[in-house]
Amino acid sequence: MTRIVIQNLGKSIELNSFSKTILKAVQEEGIDWMHACGGKGRCTTCKAIVLEGEANLEPLTAAELRYQKQGLLRAGERLACQAVVVGNITVCVPEDSKLPHLKYMD
């Protein structure tokens, strides 16, 4: 069993499968997460800051590498729609990706 902790939402998700992205996992749990392009890696609105367990994500995708080169994705940040979870991670939602109807704890 793998766990995703979303620190600044105070939520935790248990995964039985290792083939899901962060975005897919949170959506399946009914948690809203910003994603303007529909989760296709064409924008950076679904950013997640990885606080713990960065090694428990599949390597950066081509889309993430492109955004890193453009300076739109910094070290420790991943696109939730691209980052496939393979072990326990702790993430938080960055300030510019927070949704107004959710209560964040930071």
Side-chain angles (χ1 to χ4, degrees):
M1 184 86 52
T2 298
R3 176 174 291 205
I4 300 172
V5 175
I6 308 166
Q7 188 176 58
N8 58 351
L9 277 177
K11 300 199 181 261
S12 173
I13 301 166
E14 298 283 332
L15 298 178
N16 293 322
S17 165
F18 291 124
S19 61
K20 292 182 183 172
T21 64
I22 297 169
L23 182 62
K24 178 88 169 154
V26 298
Q27 286 180 321
E28 287 178 358
E29 291 295 316
I31 300 168
D32 287 338
W33 194 285
M34 187 182 292
H35 59 286
C37 73
K40 295 178 176 59
R42 295 183 185 146
C43 70
T44 60
T45 60
C46 71
K47 263 187 231 180
I49 298 171
V50 182
L51 303 172
E52 294 177 18
E54 193 166 0
N56 292 329
L57 295 169
E58 289 286 333
L60 293 165
T61 64
E64 290 175 302
L65 290 169
R66 183 176 65 248
Y67 288 120
Q68 257 191 353
K69 287 178 185 172
Q70 294 172 1
L72 299 172
L73 200 60
R74 294 178 286 209
E77 294 180 336
R78 296 292 303 265
L79 296 181
C81 72
Q82 301 291 299
V84 175
V85 180
V86 297
N88 295 337
I89 60 168
T90 300
V91 298
C92 72
V93 180
E95 194 62 39
D96 57 348
S97 295
K98 289 180 178 177
L99 294 168
H101 67 283
L102 295 178
K103 181 166 175 52
Y104 297 90
M105 302 166 72
D106 57 3

XYZ file of all heavy atoms in Angstrom:
808
model
N 0.846 -1.178 0.000
C 0.000 0.000 0.000
C 0.890 1.239 0.000
O 1.852 1.316 0.737
C -0.876 -0.034 1.251
C -1.872 1.066 1.345
S -3.457 0.835 0.531
C -4.038 -0.720 1.123
N 0.550 2.165 -0.838
C 1.304 3.404 -0.966
C 0.438 4.567 -0.500
O -0.760 4.572 -0.716
C 1.716 3.615 -2.439
O 2.559 2.543 -2.822
C 2.442 4.911 -2.634
N 1.082 5.557 0.101
C 0.343 6.694 0.654
C 0.838 8.002 0.038
O 2.030 8.244 -0.065
C 0.521 6.743 2.155
C -0.142 7.953 2.804
C -0.060 7.875 4.267
N -0.944 6.779 4.632
C -1.532 6.649 5.809
N -1.292 7.504 6.754
N -2.329 5.660 6.057
N -0.130 8.854 -0.309
C 0.148 10.233 -0.710
C -0.413 11.119 0.390
O -1.606 11.054 0.684
C -0.523 10.605 -2.046
C -0.033 9.719 -3.180
C -0.287 12.084 -2.366
C -0.801 9.917 -4.485
N 0.441 11.929 0.993
C 0.004 12.890 1.996
C 0.044 14.275 1.355
O 1.063 14.662 0.780
C 0.914 12.851 3.245
C 0.528 13.951 4.227
C 0.860 11.481 3.908
N -1.064 14.975 1.428
C -1.120 16.358 0.942
C -1.104 17.224 2.196
O -2.134 17.450 2.832
C -2.371 16.626 0.093
C -2.486 15.581 -1.015
C -2.312 18.042 -0.498
C -3.831 15.556 -1.695
N 0.080 17.677 2.549
C 0.313 18.310 3.843
C -0.572 19.526 4.103
O -1.184 19.645 5.149
C 1.783 18.661 3.990
C 2.146 19.147 5.375
C 3.622 19.385 5.484
O 4.177 20.177 4.738
N 4.256 18.689 6.419
N -0.630 20.448 3.152
C -1.363 21.683 3.441
C -2.882 21.556 3.237
O -3.610 22.508 3.449
C -0.792 22.892 2.696
C -0.772 22.743 1.199
O -1.021 21.674 0.648
N -0.451 23.819 0.521
N -3.345 20.374 2.873
C -4.786 20.106 2.864
C -5.174 19.201 4.027
O -6.356 18.979 4.278
C -5.213 19.442 1.546
C -5.463 20.361 0.371
C -5.796 19.566 -0.879
C -6.561 21.352 0.667
N -4.170 18.637 4.706
C -4.453 17.736 5.808
C -5.126 16.455 5.357
O -5.944 15.887 6.065
N -4.788 16.006 4.151
C -5.421 14.808 3.579
C -4.368 13.764 3.248
O -3.219 14.077 2.971
C -6.215 15.162 2.337
C -7.322 16.153 2.630
C -8.353 16.160 1.556
C -9.426 17.171 1.858
N -10.594 16.637 2.418
N -4.813 12.516 3.250
C -3.949 11.388 2.955
C -4.725 10.408 2.083
O -5.917 10.192 2.309
C -3.535 10.728 4.270
O -2.838 9.556 4.039
N -4.052 9.830 1.102
C -4.672 8.907 0.158
C -3.886 7.607 0.160
O -2.655 7.621 0.098
C -4.647 9.496 -1.272
C -5.386 10.821 -1.324
C -5.200 8.517 -2.280
C -5.106 11.600 -2.583
N -4.589 6.488 0.178
C -3.961 5.171 0.067
C -4.133 4.672 -1.362
O -5.232 4.715 -1.909
C -4.624 4.183 1.021
C -4.511 4.556 2.474
C -3.149 4.273 3.066
O -2.464 3.358 2.580
O -2.776 4.976 4.014
N -3.035 4.199 -1.959
C -3.076 3.655 -3.320
C -2.793 2.160 -3.298
O -1.889 1.715 -2.607
C -2.018 4.312 -4.205
C -2.086 5.801 -4.452
C -0.911 6.240 -5.303
C -3.369 6.159 -5.127
N -3.532 1.417 -4.097
C -3.267 -0.011 -4.260
C -2.462 -0.270 -5.525
O -1.942 -1.353 -5.719
C -4.577 -0.796 -4.333
C -5.319 -0.758 -3.021
O -4.713 -0.814 -1.967
N -6.638 -0.657 -3.084
N -2.385 0.726 -6.405
C -1.724 0.588 -7.698
C -0.590 1.593 -7.805
O -0.689 2.702 -7.313
C -2.751 0.849 -8.807
O -2.126 1.061 -10.034
N 0.482 1.196 -8.468
C 1.621 2.088 -8.647
C 1.600 2.813 -9.984
O 2.540 3.472 -10.338
C 2.936 1.306 -8.547
C 3.230 0.794 -7.178
C 3.446 -0.545 -6.975
C 3.287 1.647 -6.099
C 3.726 -1.030 -5.713
C 3.559 1.181 -4.828
C 3.777 -0.170 -4.640
N 0.547 2.684 -10.740
C 0.541 3.263 -12.082
C -0.279 4.546 -12.180
O -0.672 4.933 -13.263
C 0.007 2.229 -13.080
O -1.310 1.872 -12.743
N -0.531 5.204 -11.065
C -1.345 6.409 -11.080
C -0.491 7.651 -10.870
O 0.463 7.641 -10.117
C -2.395 6.355 -9.971
C -3.443 5.315 -10.204
C -4.465 5.337 -9.109
C -5.450 4.208 -9.352
N -6.362 4.050 -8.252
N -0.916 8.719 -11.525
C -0.289 10.009 -11.268
C -0.876 10.584 -9.983
O -1.934 10.140 -9.520
C -0.559 10.998 -12.424
O -1.966 11.256 -12.498
C -0.025 10.472 -13.759
N -0.206 11.582 -9.459
C -0.730 12.266 -8.271
C -2.131 12.798 -8.577
O -3.060 12.609 -7.795
C 0.197 13.413 -7.838
C 1.576 12.888 -7.416
C -0.445 14.234 -6.724
C 2.629 13.976 -7.220
N -2.291 13.440 -9.730
C -3.575 14.032 -10.089
C -4.671 12.984 -10.163
O -5.763 13.172 -9.618
C -3.465 14.792 -11.418
C -4.730 15.493 -11.892
C -5.163 16.569 -10.901
C -4.529 16.084 -13.273
N -4.422 11.880 -10.820
C -5.423 10.810 -10.956
C -5.821 10.279 -9.578
O -7.000 10.074 -9.295
C -4.858 9.692 -11.824
C -5.766 8.525 -12.009
C -6.663 8.755 -13.172
C -7.379 7.449 -13.511
N -8.624 7.674 -14.164
N -4.846 10.067 -8.716
C -5.118 9.541 -7.379
C -5.985 10.494 -6.561
O -6.950 10.066 -5.919
C -3.803 9.257 -6.649
N -5.672 11.792 -6.586
C -6.467 12.733 -5.790
C -7.863 12.897 -6.370
O -8.837 13.012 -5.615
C -5.763 14.103 -5.583
C -4.476 13.955 -4.827
C -5.556 14.841 -6.863
N -7.982 12.889 -7.678
C -9.303 13.003 -8.297
C -10.186 11.812 -7.938
O -11.370 11.971 -7.672
C -9.182 13.104 -9.813
C -8.688 14.446 -10.283
C -8.588 14.519 -11.784
O -8.185 13.562 -12.442
N -8.938 15.657 -12.329
N -9.603 10.620 -7.928
C -10.375 9.426 -7.580
C -10.870 9.460 -6.143
O -11.850 8.809 -5.809
C -9.547 8.164 -7.825
C -9.388 7.857 -9.297
C -8.541 6.641 -9.582
O -8.010 6.009 -8.639
O -8.398 6.307 -10.769
N -10.199 10.238 -5.298
C -10.624 10.397 -3.902
C -11.562 11.582 -3.725
O -11.943 11.922 -2.605
C -9.403 10.564 -2.993
C -8.580 9.317 -2.861
C -9.322 8.184 -2.162
O -9.992 8.435 -1.139
O -9.229 7.041 -2.648
N -11.918 12.251 -4.823
C -12.840 13.376 -4.758
C -12.214 14.664 -4.258
O -12.923 15.568 -3.832
N -10.887 14.756 -4.333
C -10.176 15.963 -3.907
C -9.938 16.839 -5.127
O -9.399 16.371 -6.129
C -8.837 15.604 -3.232
C -9.080 14.719 -1.999
C -8.063 16.869 -2.856
C -7.822 14.094 -1.443
N -10.337 18.091 -5.053
C -10.114 19.022 -6.163
C -8.652 19.429 -6.220
O -8.029 19.699 -5.184
C -10.978 20.280 -6.001
C -12.437 20.023 -6.268
O -12.760 19.042 -6.961
O -13.269 20.808 -5.784
N -8.108 19.491 -7.439
C -6.721 19.911 -7.671
C -6.725 20.658 -8.989
O -7.238 20.152 -9.996
C -5.810 18.685 -7.763
C -4.351 18.982 -7.675
C -3.567 19.531 -8.653
C -3.496 18.726 -6.574
N -2.277 19.636 -8.225
C -2.204 19.139 -6.951
C -3.672 18.182 -5.314
C -1.111 19.023 -6.095
C -2.595 18.066 -4.481
C -1.326 18.490 -4.873
N -6.178 21.857 -9.015
C -6.182 22.665 -10.226
C -5.447 21.956 -11.364
O -4.369 21.389 -11.162
C -5.532 24.025 -9.974
C -5.660 24.963 -11.174
S -4.870 26.558 -10.936
C -5.898 27.262 -9.679
N -6.052 21.986 -12.555
C -5.424 21.429 -13.762
C -6.123 22.006 -14.997
O -7.059 21.451 -15.517
C -5.429 19.902 -13.758
C -6.796 19.284 -13.681
N -7.538 19.282 -12.527
C -7.544 18.669 -14.607
C -8.693 18.671 -12.755
N -8.714 18.295 -14.014
N -5.646 23.129 -15.452
C -6.297 23.883 -16.520
C -6.303 23.159 -17.866
O -7.227 23.332 -18.649
C -5.633 25.252 -16.678
N -5.307 22.339 -18.151
C -5.235 21.688 -19.464
C -5.880 20.308 -19.469
O -5.765 19.578 -20.447
C -3.783 21.598 -19.946
S -2.784 20.364 -19.084
N -6.529 19.944 -18.387
C -7.171 18.637 -18.333
C -6.215 17.508 -18.001
O -6.492 16.351 -18.279
N -5.078 17.843 -17.423
C -4.123 16.808 -17.019
C -3.320 16.221 -18.151
O -2.954 15.047 -18.131
N -3.000 17.037 -19.131
C -2.264 16.556 -20.300
C -0.816 17.031 -20.365
O -0.145 16.845 -21.366
C -3.016 16.970 -21.562
C -4.375 16.296 -21.671
C -5.104 16.756 -22.900
C -6.411 16.044 -23.104
N -7.380 16.149 -22.060
N -0.327 17.703 -19.323
C 1.054 18.174 -19.311
C 1.301 19.365 -20.217
O 2.425 19.600 -20.637
N 0.255 20.135 -20.500
C 0.387 21.284 -21.413
C 0.421 22.622 -20.691
O 0.421 23.676 -21.330
C -0.768 21.273 -22.404
C -0.735 20.083 -23.316
C -1.848 20.157 -24.328
N -1.862 18.950 -25.119
C -2.963 18.398 -25.591
N -4.125 18.954 -25.367
N -2.885 17.303 -26.289
N 0.389 22.587 -19.359
C 0.475 23.817 -18.572
C 1.174 23.464 -17.263
O 1.662 22.353 -17.120
C -0.924 24.417 -18.323
S -1.963 23.470 -17.195
N 1.211 24.365 -16.342
C 1.854 24.065 -15.054
C 0.923 24.333 -13.872
O 1.378 24.445 -12.751
C 3.143 24.902 -14.887
O 2.801 26.296 -14.935
C 4.174 24.580 -15.945
N -0.379 24.396 -14.117
C -1.309 24.735 -13.048
C -1.472 23.625 -12.012
O -1.939 23.889 -10.908
C -2.701 25.103 -13.593
O -3.221 23.985 -14.324
C -2.627 26.337 -14.480
N -1.096 22.404 -12.335
C -1.260 21.288 -11.392
C 0.003 21.012 -10.583
O 0.135 19.949 -9.978
C -1.697 20.022 -12.132
S -0.401 19.280 -13.159
N 0.895 21.964 -10.528
C 2.150 21.771 -9.787
C 1.923 21.242 -8.381
O 0.972 21.616 -7.711
C 2.869 23.113 -9.626
C 3.919 23.381 -10.624
C 4.646 24.647 -10.234
C 4.723 25.590 -11.394
N 5.412 26.815 -11.072
N 2.856 20.389 -7.960
C 2.905 19.914 -6.582
C 4.334 20.116 -6.101
O 5.281 19.894 -6.857
C 2.529 18.438 -6.502
N 4.482 20.535 -4.872
C 5.809 20.627 -4.266
C 6.020 19.333 -3.482
O 5.220 18.990 -2.607
C 5.913 21.844 -3.319
C 5.694 23.133 -4.103
C 7.271 21.853 -2.618
C 5.559 24.377 -3.243
N 7.079 18.611 -3.831
C 7.365 17.337 -3.174
C 8.214 17.625 -1.934
O 9.341 18.093 -2.032
C 8.086 16.368 -4.129
C 8.322 15.035 -3.435
C 7.293 16.179 -5.414
N 7.640 17.347 -0.774
C 8.313 17.597 0.496
C 9.116 16.384 0.957
O 10.173 16.530 1.562
C 7.297 17.987 1.569
C 6.433 19.207 1.245
C 5.334 19.371 2.278
C 7.296 20.455 1.141
N 8.591 15.198 0.697
C 9.262 13.950 1.066
C 8.966 12.889 0.019
O 7.867 12.853 -0.529
C 8.757 13.440 2.418
C 9.090 14.310 3.589
C 8.492 13.789 4.887
O 8.109 12.605 4.963
O 8.405 14.582 5.831
N 9.955 12.039 -0.249
C 9.746 10.896 -1.126
C 9.902 11.167 -2.602
O 9.340 10.438 -3.423
N 10.662 12.174 -2.973
C 10.835 12.488 -4.395
C 11.344 11.281 -5.189
O 10.979 11.088 -6.344
C 11.783 13.671 -4.566
C 11.759 14.245 -5.957
C 12.429 15.609 -6.061
O 12.919 16.127 -5.047
O 12.448 16.143 -7.170
N 12.143 10.430 -4.551
C 12.650 9.222 -5.207
C 11.540 8.200 -5.440
O 11.734 7.243 -6.198
C 13.764 8.599 -4.374
N 10.379 8.403 -4.823
C 9.251 7.493 -4.988
C 8.297 7.928 -6.090
O 7.134 7.530 -6.106
C 8.495 7.344 -3.661
C 9.311 6.619 -2.632
O 10.130 5.768 -2.962
N 9.111 6.954 -1.376
N 8.811 8.753 -7.005
C 8.077 9.151 -8.206
C 8.879 8.710 -9.417
O 10.110 8.686 -9.381
C 7.889 10.672 -8.247
C 7.014 11.280 -7.155
C 7.134 12.793 -7.165
C 5.564 10.860 -7.347
N 8.174 8.335 -10.483
C 8.856 7.996 -11.736
C 9.664 9.222 -12.182
O 9.371 10.351 -11.782
C 7.833 7.620 -12.814
C 7.152 6.289 -12.587
C 8.047 5.101 -12.863
O 8.983 5.221 -13.676
O 7.826 4.045 -12.247
N 10.679 9.031 -13.024
C 11.486 10.161 -13.497
C 10.650 11.235 -14.200
O 9.543 10.969 -14.663
C 12.465 9.510 -14.479
C 12.528 8.084 -14.070
C 11.157 7.755 -13.538
N 11.206 12.429 -14.268
C 10.549 13.545 -14.953
C 10.172 13.153 -16.379
O 10.941 12.484 -17.080
C 11.478 14.759 -15.009
C 11.799 15.427 -13.682
C 12.991 16.356 -13.831
C 10.600 16.180 -13.158
N 8.998 13.572 -16.799
C 8.542 13.315 -18.167
C 9.111 14.382 -19.108
O 9.672 15.385 -18.656
C 7.008 13.349 -18.240
O 6.561 14.674 -17.928
C 6.375 12.330 -17.298
N 8.913 14.181 -20.399
C 9.369 15.164 -21.390
C 8.723 16.531 -21.133
O 9.387 17.564 -21.239
C 9.062 14.672 -22.798
N 7.448 16.539 -20.778
C 6.753 17.801 -20.503
C 7.385 18.499 -19.302
O 7.624 19.715 -19.339
C 5.273 17.549 -20.243
N 7.682 17.746 -18.255
C 8.285 18.341 -17.065
C 9.685 18.864 -17.352
O 10.057 19.947 -16.891
C 8.325 17.318 -15.929
C 6.946 16.999 -15.379
C 6.980 15.908 -14.339
O 7.454 14.790 -14.642
O 6.529 16.172 -13.211
N 10.449 18.136 -18.122
C 11.798 18.596 -18.498
C 11.722 19.883 -19.303
O 12.526 20.796 -19.107
C 12.544 17.506 -19.271
C 12.951 16.284 -18.451
C 13.437 15.166 -19.367
C 14.007 16.646 -17.430
N 10.740 19.973 -20.192
C 10.551 21.189 -20.994
C 10.246 22.386 -20.090
O 10.847 23.451 -20.245
C 9.425 20.959 -22.006
C 9.189 22.140 -22.930
C 8.131 21.854 -24.000
N 6.815 21.631 -23.431
C 6.154 20.468 -23.422
N 6.700 19.395 -23.968
N 4.961 20.371 -22.890
N 9.351 22.194 -19.109
C 9.017 23.288 -18.202
C 10.169 23.632 -17.270
O 10.349 24.791 -16.906
C 7.745 22.983 -17.415
C 6.506 23.063 -18.285
C 5.686 21.963 -18.458
C 6.186 24.234 -18.962
C 4.565 22.031 -19.269
C 5.081 24.315 -19.776
C 4.262 23.209 -19.922
O 3.169 23.284 -20.732
N 10.977 22.647 -16.912
C 12.174 22.931 -16.106
C 13.131 23.822 -16.882
O 13.646 24.795 -16.345
C 12.894 21.622 -15.743
C 12.664 21.182 -14.350
C 13.584 20.046 -13.954
O 14.327 19.488 -14.769
N 13.537 19.685 -12.691
N 13.352 23.495 -18.153
C 14.265 24.288 -18.991
C 13.768 25.713 -19.173
O 14.555 26.638 -19.314
C 14.457 23.619 -20.357
C 15.314 22.386 -20.295
C 15.453 21.729 -21.636
C 16.211 20.424 -21.491
N 16.216 19.640 -22.716
N 12.450 25.894 -19.150
C 11.858 27.224 -19.296
C 11.814 27.979 -17.961
O 11.397 29.130 -17.918
C 10.431 27.114 -19.845
C 10.367 26.585 -21.250
C 8.931 26.312 -21.696
O 7.971 26.531 -20.964
N 8.785 25.824 -22.910
N 12.216 27.316 -16.881
C 12.202 27.944 -15.569
C 10.831 27.969 -14.907
O 10.627 28.673 -13.921
N 9.884 27.197 -15.438
C 8.530 27.180 -14.905
C 8.298 26.050 -13.895
O 7.250 25.999 -13.256
C 7.515 27.059 -16.049
C 7.546 28.211 -17.046
C 6.652 27.911 -18.234
C 7.127 29.505 -16.358
N 9.266 25.153 -13.786
C 9.190 24.046 -12.843
C 10.541 23.958 -12.156
O 11.553 23.687 -12.792
C 8.875 22.750 -13.604
C 8.293 21.583 -12.837
C 6.960 21.943 -12.201
C 8.123 20.389 -13.749
N 10.557 24.239 -10.863
C 11.817 24.265 -10.114
C 12.120 22.906 -9.487
O 11.268 22.020 -9.464
C 11.737 25.325 -9.026
C 11.645 26.740 -9.588
C 11.532 27.731 -8.486
N 10.170 27.630 -7.946
C 9.518 28.613 -7.394
N 10.079 29.779 -7.248
N 8.298 28.452 -6.936
N 13.312 22.787 -8.955
C 13.698 21.563 -8.241
C 12.696 21.321 -7.117
O 12.295 22.252 -6.426
C 15.102 21.701 -7.683
N 12.279 20.090 -6.964
C 11.311 19.741 -5.930
C 9.870 19.934 -6.346
O 8.954 19.626 -5.582
N 9.639 20.452 -7.542
C 8.285 20.609 -8.052
C 8.044 19.582 -9.158
O 8.932 19.292 -9.949
C 8.061 22.012 -8.627
C 8.108 23.109 -7.607
C 7.879 24.481 -8.206
O 8.110 24.683 -9.417
O 7.489 25.378 -7.439
N 6.839 19.050 -9.182
C 6.431 18.113 -10.224
C 5.047 18.505 -10.713
O 4.278 19.151 -10.000
C 6.372 16.679 -9.679
C 7.694 16.099 -9.227
C 8.668 15.838 -10.369
N 8.158 14.956 -11.396
C 8.374 13.642 -11.460
N 9.111 13.052 -10.539
N 7.887 12.922 -12.458
N 4.722 18.103 -11.922
C 3.367 18.272 -12.421
C 2.558 17.088 -11.904
O 2.916 15.930 -12.154
C 3.333 18.309 -13.949
C 4.054 19.467 -14.626
C 3.912 19.363 -16.141
C 3.528 20.796 -14.136
N 1.485 17.365 -11.193
C 0.676 16.290 -10.608
C 0.095 15.374 -11.686
O -0.110 14.192 -11.451
C -0.440 16.881 -9.749
N -0.126 15.908 -12.878
C -0.682 15.101 -13.970
C 0.358 14.200 -14.623
O 0.003 13.298 -15.385
C -1.334 15.992 -15.017
S -0.172 16.941 -16.038
N 1.618 14.421 -14.347
C 2.692 13.654 -14.980
C 3.431 12.742 -14.011
O 3.969 11.707 -14.416
C 3.707 14.606 -15.623
C 3.139 15.518 -16.682
C 2.749 14.755 -17.924
O 3.577 14.126 -18.565
N 1.462 14.786 -18.261
N 3.487 13.096 -12.739
C 4.278 12.379 -11.745
C 3.577 11.094 -11.302
O 2.565 11.134 -10.611
C 4.546 13.279 -10.545
N 4.140 9.963 -11.708
C 3.584 8.656 -11.359
C 4.182 8.208 -10.022
O 5.391 8.181 -9.848
C 3.867 7.618 -12.464
C 3.394 6.237 -12.051
C 3.214 8.047 -13.774
N 3.301 7.835 -9.112
C 3.688 7.468 -7.749
C 4.099 5.991 -7.691
O 3.364 5.124 -8.146
C 2.510 7.720 -6.788
C 2.876 7.360 -5.368
C 2.046 9.166 -6.883
N 5.287 5.732 -7.103
C 5.753 4.349 -6.931
C 6.057 4.026 -5.470
O 6.516 2.937 -5.154
C 6.980 4.036 -7.833
C 6.606 4.142 -9.300
C 8.144 4.936 -7.498
N 5.824 4.971 -4.585
C 6.058 4.777 -3.156
C 5.492 5.964 -2.393
O 4.921 6.881 -2.982
N 5.644 5.954 -1.087
C 5.082 7.005 -0.237
C 5.676 8.376 -0.548
O 6.892 8.506 -0.710
C 5.338 6.680 1.230
C 4.621 5.430 1.679
O 3.619 5.022 1.091
N 5.125 4.814 2.716
N 4.804 9.372 -0.623
C 5.244 10.754 -0.857
C 4.436 11.707 0.016
O 3.311 11.401 0.418
C 5.114 11.184 -2.335
C 3.667 11.108 -2.815
C 6.026 10.382 -3.231
C 3.418 11.776 -4.160
N 5.035 12.851 0.282
C 4.338 13.966 0.932
C 4.507 15.173 0.027
O 5.621 15.501 -0.367
C 4.927 14.260 2.328
O 4.790 13.091 3.138
C 4.209 15.423 2.996
N 3.379 15.792 -0.315
C 3.390 16.951 -1.203
C 2.585 18.080 -0.569
O 1.875 17.879 0.412
C 2.791 16.611 -2.598
C 3.598 15.544 -3.299
C 1.335 16.191 -2.497
N 2.699 19.255 -1.167
C 1.796 20.350 -0.816
C 1.464 21.107 -2.092
O 2.159 21.005 -3.097
C 2.384 21.254 0.265
S 3.733 22.291 -0.257
N 0.371 21.833 -2.027
C -0.084 22.641 -3.152
C 0.595 23.997 -3.055
O 0.515 24.653 -2.013
C -1.622 22.817 -3.113
C -2.102 23.649 -4.290
C -2.324 21.465 -3.073
N 1.289 24.438 -4.136
C 1.920 25.756 -4.083
C 0.884 26.883 -4.042
O -0.258 26.700 -4.460
C 2.747 25.826 -5.361
C 2.323 24.704 -6.217
C 1.530 23.748 -5.392
N 1.289 28.007 -3.537
C 0.399 29.158 -3.356
C -0.361 29.514 -4.634
O -1.568 29.756 -4.599
C 1.209 30.368 -2.871
C 0.389 31.495 -2.342
C -0.434 31.139 -1.117
O 0.050 30.404 -0.242
O -1.592 31.607 -1.047
N 0.322 29.535 -5.778
C -0.325 29.960 -7.026
C -1.225 28.893 -7.648
O -1.877 29.151 -8.655
C 0.704 30.460 -8.036
C 1.770 29.442 -8.378
O 1.874 28.407 -7.685
O 2.519 29.676 -9.339
N -1.291 27.705 -7.055
C -2.169 26.644 -7.566
C -3.321 26.322 -6.611
O -4.083 25.392 -6.853
C -1.361 25.370 -7.818
O -0.418 25.577 -8.849
N -3.436 27.099 -5.547
C -4.498 26.833 -4.577
C -5.856 27.242 -5.140
O -5.980 28.257 -5.815
C -4.229 27.593 -3.279
C -3.061 27.030 -2.511
C -2.825 27.794 -1.228
C -1.681 27.188 -0.446
N -1.396 27.959 0.773
N -6.860 26.430 -4.838
C -8.223 26.714 -5.252
C -8.931 27.499 -4.146
O -8.786 27.193 -2.968
C -8.952 25.402 -5.536
C -8.407 24.608 -6.737
C -8.984 23.208 -6.764
C -8.698 25.343 -8.031
N -9.725 28.489 -4.521
C -10.323 29.372 -3.516
C -11.363 28.709 -2.607
O -11.597 29.171 -1.496
C -10.964 30.487 -4.349
C -11.139 29.917 -5.703
C -10.041 28.908 -5.880
N -11.959 27.621 -3.040
C -13.005 26.984 -2.234
C -12.464 25.932 -1.250
O -13.233 25.386 -0.472
C -14.072 26.365 -3.121
C -13.593 25.201 -3.925
N -12.824 25.355 -5.057
C -13.747 23.870 -3.754
C -12.536 24.168 -5.555
N -13.088 23.247 -4.782
N -11.164 25.671 -1.264
C -10.578 24.709 -0.335
C -9.882 25.436 0.804
O -9.346 26.528 0.621
C -9.575 23.813 -1.062
C -10.139 22.897 -2.134
C -9.017 22.102 -2.806
C -11.181 21.953 -1.565
N -9.862 24.797 1.959
C -9.192 25.371 3.137
C -7.816 24.726 3.264
O -7.705 23.529 3.465
C -10.010 25.125 4.388
C -9.375 25.724 5.621
C -10.360 25.759 6.773
C -9.754 26.238 8.046
N -9.040 27.467 8.028
N -6.783 25.528 3.126
C -5.397 25.072 3.239
C -4.891 25.383 4.628
O -5.340 26.324 5.277
C -4.532 25.727 2.162
C -4.966 25.342 0.766
C -5.910 26.078 0.067
C -4.431 24.216 0.162
C -6.310 25.713 -1.201
C -4.827 23.834 -1.117
C -5.771 24.592 -1.783
O -6.172 24.214 -3.046
N -3.914 24.616 5.073
C -3.446 24.711 6.443
C -2.133 25.477 6.588
O -1.448 25.320 7.580
C -3.279 23.300 7.019
C -4.567 22.517 6.969
S -4.358 20.769 7.244
C -3.985 20.751 8.974
N -1.774 26.286 5.619
C -0.510 27.032 5.753
C -0.672 28.500 5.520
O -1.668 29.040 5.257
C 0.553 26.494 4.824
C 0.174 26.481 3.354
O -0.916 26.946 2.990
O 0.946 25.998 2.578
